[in-house]
Amino acid sequence: GAVVSQHPSWVICKSGTSVKIECRSLDFQATTMFWYRQFPKQSLMLMATSNEGSKATYEQGVEKDKFLINHASLTLSTLTVTSAHPEDSSFYICSALSLGLPGLGTDTQYFGPGTRLTVL
Amino acid sequence: DAKTTQPPSMDCAEGRAANLPCNHSTISGNEYVYWYRQIHSQGPQYIIHGLKNNETNEMASLIITEDRKSSTLILPHATLRDTAVYYCIVRVGRGGGNKLTFGTGTQLKVEL
């Protein structure tokens, strides 16, 4: 149990284009999902908290108009990087919060495999 | 959330127990200790968490000192596949926003 998927696993795009990344909880429902970014040889940095049916909460310094988050269902959150530039190239990772379902840790975040974004 | 301190790197021989320490001397009474690991170029994997009692699951054991100011993650029989960065994270439980703040972690290298 507690499987979180991301699609695509990697993407290469041209500067100025938009890229959408999907995060799905496959075997549990998640009212809250999180989006992280990780640059090479650095730790994960939280970008935003995504709550189903409401607006995302962004961390300080993260541009909400550039990183659009939609959490339209209990199993799907999407991150759209708008007008991507080379400095947006990074490893984007989502997580889904489990609220103590049988066999799963209480209030535990389960992470997806990540999406490698390269902007040329 | 309380800050944690971990050694930057550790080595362990395959088949031996790996004991990863974590210091969280400013932990509050309602904060849990979580452990995750990240294998290169993958998303973090949940290992275990606890509040004050020692915990064990199929992956590892978590030993929390009585004053809760430090803890140790134990991988009883380390394998090469356990080579990863291990993160010790302290956070408030339910109602606390559920955010995880990742530090730099411990790079565990398991060798033959």
Side-chain angles (χ1 to χ4, degrees):
Chain A
V3 179
V4 177
S5 70
Q6 282 184 242
H7 178 80
S9 56
W10 60 270
V11 57
I12 301 173
C13 70
K14 292 183 179 180
S15 184
T17 60
S18 294
V19 175
K20 178 185 284 188
I21 302 170
E22 293 186 348
C23 176
R24 295 181 184 271
S25 56
L26 299 186
D27 51 3
F28 67 101
Q29 294 182 330
T31 56
T32 303
M33 291 183 174
F34 301 85
W35 287 95
Y36 295 80
R37 182 166 54 180
Q38 186 175 33
F39 292 106
K41 298 187 178 181
Q42 295 186 23
S43 191
L44 283 78
M45 294 295 295
L46 179 65
M47 298 176 66
T49 301
S50 168
N51 291 296
E52 186 266 337
S54 64
K55 291 183 178 180
T57 302
Y58 292 82
E59 295 299 300
Q60 190 172 12
V62 177
E63 300 175 59
K64 61 180 181 180
D65 295 329
K66 180 170 184 62
F67 299 100
L68 302 179
I69 292 172
N70 184 280
H71 192 161
S73 78
L74 290 174
T75 59
L76 173 65
S77 176
T78 60
L79 169 69
T80 301
V81 183
T82 62
S83 187
H85 289 92
E87 56 266 29
D88 298 322
S89 298
S90 187
F91 192 48
Y92 291 87
I93 310 168
C94 74
S95 70
L97 183 67
S98 157
L99 296 178
L101 297 174
L104 302 183
T106 303
D107 289 344
T108 299
Q109 287 186 37
Y110 294 92
F111 287 79
T115 297
R116 177 80 55 194
L117 170 63
T118 301
V119 184
L120 302 177
Chain B
D1 292 341
K3 183 177 178 180
T4 61
T5 304
Q6 300 177 252
S9 64
M10 293 182 65
D11 294 331
C12 179
E14 188 177 35
R16 305 296 293 268
N19 297 283
L20 292 91
C22 179
N23 184 286
H24 32 80
S25 58
T26 59
I27 192 171
S28 300
N30 62 346
E31 290 181 314
Y32 289 72
V33 180
Y34 281 76
W35 283 85
Y36 285 81
R37 71 181 183 184
Q38 185 178 26
I39 296 171
H40 184 63
S41 295
Q42 297 182 24
Q45 178 187 21
Y46 166 76
I47 302 173
I48 200 167
H49 76 282
L51 181 62
K52 54 182 178 181
N53 297 324
N54 297 336
E55 301 288 344
T56 296
N57 62 20
E58 64 280 2
M59 289 185 67
S61 293
L62 173 60
I63 308 298
I64 303 174
T65 57
E66 193 170 340
D67 62 7
R68 303 209 320 125
K69 293 184 177 182
S70 65
S71 61
T72 301
L73 178 73
I74 301 172
L75 308 178
H77 305 286
T79 70
L80 299 178
R81 293 181 179 181
D82 293 322
T83 293
V85 178
Y86 287 76
Y87 296 100
C88 168
I89 301 169
V90 172
R91 75 154 178 86
V92 178
R94 186 169 291 183
N98 295 302
K99 292 182 180 182
L100 294 176
T101 301
F102 285 80
T104 52
T106 295
Q107 172 67 63
L108 175 67
K109 186 176 181 181
V110 181
E111 299 172 308
L112 293 172

